[in-house]
Amino acid sequence: VVKNPDLVVGIDLGGTKILAAAVDAQGKILGRAKRSTDPEEGSRAVLSRLADCAREAVARAGREWPDVRAVGVGAPGPLDPEKGVVIFAPNLSGWKNVPVKATLEKTLRKPVFLENDVNVGTLGEHVLGAGKGVRDLVGIFVGTGIGGGVILNGQLHRGFNKTAGEIGHMIVQIGGPKCGCGNRGCLEAIASRTAIARDIAAAIRKGKKSSLGKRRAIDPSDLKSGDIAKALDEGDRVARKVIRRAARAIGVSILNVIHVLNPEMIVLGGGAMAFGDHLLPIVRKTVERRVLPLAGDRVRIVPAQLADDSGVLGAAVLARQRMS
Ligand SMILES: [Zn+2]
């Protein structure tokens, strides 16, 4: 029997893949494992893969399962972090009321903690990434959608119904493009990777010249982040114009967040940071030009540092914090 198990396992449950990492007390990854999610096989099969993944990460770290203290899981939501239940997840073939915590605790015989993936990403950046030592921080993750996490007084702020941080659905343009949530002009509908690809494709279809595609053949799903980043580097005018609009919308959202919460730091992460070099200067300028005196003083807007590990490391931080 191990008296002081020092490892935690962080699991990042995404719509396409499951990532797990065995993480030591210093936040160092000692072993990793990966599986396809294949959510169409049902929640039982997915949770069983999650458990396999956790055990494999520990084995790859050269350690034994009894060395593990707790397991943290970041999952798409909405979810109930206290009961450890995923309430509804369109990204997981429409999971409804899946008892992740109860099921995994039975299989793994360790305490399991569940949290929304964006909150987990924010926790990771706060403790191990860009936000080390910062008390008030907001994380904004721009990917196929846009999510946010809020840390106030060093603690994750969940709000009354545990839904705080929905920055993607902050309306930045009344009457703007339609969002998946049903409203118009949400940040997500203007600045997500999906919206950026949609707008580039629409401009090309209208006849604007771009290295990213030909008028008739263009489809938004063909536009890969790497290609958009390359076009931006080469000065492609269509790509630059669309990115400018997205960056300004992100900047306006951040401005509003700064005015309401006055955080010390905003951490920007997610897949769209592939064009971070083009995005960030415009985001910062948009904020600087409009921010109220004092509110924006010494507030830093910085890129996330943990990249693809933010999910597993954040889940490891979650497990450690809930155990203490
Ligand atoms: Zn919305």
Side-chain angles (χ1 to χ4, degrees):
V1 176
V2 180
K3 283 219 176 87
N4 291 306
D6 63 326
L7 285 186
V8 290
V9 176
I11 302 179
D12 180 357
L13 169 57
T16 53
K17 56 185 192 270
I18 300 163
L19 302 172
V23 180
D24 72 7
Q26 281 70 49
K28 201 171 153 228
I29 295 178
L30 304 181
R32 299 170 185 271
K34 184 178 169 180
R35 296 271 192 289
S36 299
T37 310
D38 299 326
E40 66 286 350
E41 289 176 18
S43 59
R44 241 169 222 282
V46 173
L47 289 177
S48 142
R49 277 195 282 280
L50 227 67
D52 290 347
C53 224
R55 290 183 186 281
E56 189 186 321
V58 172
R60 284 182 181 259
R63 303 289 290 272
E64 309 278 339
W65 190 248
D67 295 344
V68 174
R69 199 157 168 232
V71 177
V73 181
L79 51 78
D80 183 331
E82 268 143 34
K83 296 199 180 98
V85 173
V86 170
I87 296 166
F88 178 54
N91 285 352
L92 298 170
S93 286
W95 275 19
K96 270 192 187 128
N97 297 316
V98 174
V100 174
K101 179 183 169 79
T103 310
L104 286 180
E105 283 185 342
K106 221 163 149 190
T107 333
L108 294 173
R109 308 203 167 275
K110 296 287 176 188
V112 174
F113 303 99
L114 179 72
E115 185 59 77
N116 165 295
D117 49 9
V118 187
N119 281 348
V120 160
T122 305
L123 272 180
E125 288 296 330
H126 178 233
V127 175
L128 300 170
K132 273 185 219 167
V134 171
R135 236 166 59 118
D136 301 307
L137 168 159
V138 175
I140 301 178
F141 296 85
V142 183
T144 50
I146 297 183
V150 180
I151 307 268
L152 294 179
N153 272 320
Q155 300 275 329
L156 190 61
H157 175 78
R158 292 213 194 89
F160 179 50
N161 287 321
K162 324 258 182 309
T163 69
E166 288 285 10
I167 288 158
H169 300 289
M170 180 185 286
I171 293 176
V172 291
Q173 186 190 344
I174 292 175
K178 193 131 195 196
C179 181
C181 74
N183 286 328
R184 284 185 175 277
C186 293
L187 178 64
E188 182 168 298
I190 295 172
S192 64
R193 229 210 61 89
T194 320
I196 289 168
R198 176 202 64 204
D199 288 351
I200 291 175
I204 294 172
R205 240 180 274 120
K206 271 192 205 150
K208 296 270 191 305
K209 270 216 164 85
S210 166
S211 61
L212 284 164
K214 293 271 181 297
R215 193 169 176 178
R216 262 173 245 289
I218 190 78
D219 185 279
S221 60
D222 298 337
L223 295 166
K224 305 283 172 256
S225 290
D227 296 336
I228 297 174
K230 190 165 161 263
L232 286 166
D233 289 341
E234 292 165 357
D236 188 272
R237 290 176 70 174
V238 169
R240 287 213 164 176
K241 196 172 167 198
V242 170
I243 289 296
R244 196 181 314 124
R245 179 172 181 234
R248 290 179 70 182
I250 294 169
V252 167
S253 295
I254 291 177
L255 179 76
N256 290 329
V257 166
I258 290 174
H259 285 160
V260 175
L261 297 176
N262 189 219
E264 180 178 344
M265 179 183 278
I266 305 279
V267 180
L268 261 181
M273 292 312 280
F275 1 102
D277 292 348
H278 296 272
L279 223 51
L280 263 174
I282 305 169
V283 167
R284 289 192 180 117
K285 199 178 279 174
T286 303
V287 174
E288 279 160 18
R289 279 194 186 148
R290 297 167 179 83
V291 75
L292 295 178
L294 200 58
D297 263 14
R298 290 172 288 120
V299 175
R300 284 171 290 160
I301 302 171
V302 301
Q305 284 179 359
L306 303 179
D308 293 343
D309 288 336
S310 74
V312 287
L313 284 175
V317 168
L318 170 79
R320 225 172 261 287
Q321 285 188 350
R322 297 271 191 94
M323 281 306 284
S324 59

